[in-house]
Amino acid sequence: EVELRKSFHDVSDNPFLSKLSTNFNASYIFSEVNLGDAAVGEQGGFIQDQVRPLEGQSPYIVNLALNYEDKERDLDVNLIYNRFGDRIFSVGNNIWRTIYEVSRDQVDLNVSKKLGNVTYRLSAMDLLNAKFQFFEDTNFDGKIRKADDNLVYGYRRGTLFSFSMTYDF
């Protein structure tokens, strides 16, 4: 895992740039499930992959955030990017194929403004409205190639907007 943070406060005299900061985080994850003899059926042959990645665990995750904080105006703006690697959604066996959720990009925006005792927050999740896609590993090779493997289902969730107000006593 690598994490980097940088504030532009000391880098620039520009009033806008000096209020910016950025955060970067990336993780490379190696996970392994080894079923050993439990993967072998009663008549022999493997009923499941003997060795496979952990279900739901992405091999990598990347996060990038750009933050703007103006303390004089009580204004905060955050733009956040996230991406994860293809991951097992549903473990298959020798009859049913393993289903993978393929990677996608997500961008979120959060804006908060304080006026007196009230803080207003506006959030927009998944601005790109990236498609959720789930493919079955048709050829049992442990990799998803959209040209070779079958799309089981896909959908767009839409962009979620929320607004909240908080009153401080």
Side-chain angles (χ1 to χ4, degrees), residues 21-155:
S21 65
T22 186
N23 299 334
F24 171 78
N25 176 282
S27 299
Y28 172 77
I29 301 117
F30 175 79
S31 67
E32 180 179 277
V33 174
N34 188 336
L35 298 176
D37 292 336
V40 180
E42 292 178 15
Q43 285 82 27
F46 291 105
I47 58 171
Q48 254 190 26
D49 290 339
Q50 190 171 16
V51 178
R52 64 168 170 77
L54 183 65
E55 179 182 0
Q57 180 64 66
S58 296
Y60 69 87
I61 301 170
V62 176
N63 298 295
L64 179 63
L66 182 62
N67 309 301
Y68 176 81
E69 182 180 24
D70 187 336
K71 291 181 181 181
E72 297 166 3
R73 293 188 174 114
D74 283 326
L75 175 67
D76 290 315
V77 180
N78 300 298
L79 186 64
I80 303 153
Y81 168 80
N82 174 269
R83 182 177 179 88
F84 63 86
D86 295 354
R87 57 190 174 199
I88 295 175
F89 174 75
S90 174
V91 176
N93 57 30
N94 61 347
I95 299 171
W96 303 101
R97 292 164 176 85
T98 296
I99 297 174
Y100 286 82
E101 179 181 8
V102 298
S103 60
R104 68 182 177 280
D105 299 306
Q106 182 166 329
V107 175
D108 301 333
L109 177 67
N110 299 305
V111 179
S112 66
K113 171 72 175 153
K114 187 171 186 176
L115 295 171
N117 290 354
V118 180
T119 302
Y120 301 90
R121 176 178 294 272
L122 176 65
S123 297
M125 290 180 53
D126 200 2
L127 288 170
L128 302 176
N129 191 19
K131 190 173 189 178
F132 286 68
Q133 296 182 78
F134 298 84
F135 281 82
E136 66 179 358
D137 183 10
T138 307
N139 55 6
F140 295 98
D141 68 352
K143 298 175 185 170
I144 295 300
R145 292 180 196 86
K146 293 180 182 179
D148 299 333
D149 295 309
N150 294 329
L151 177 66
V152 177
Y153 54 95
Y155 62 93

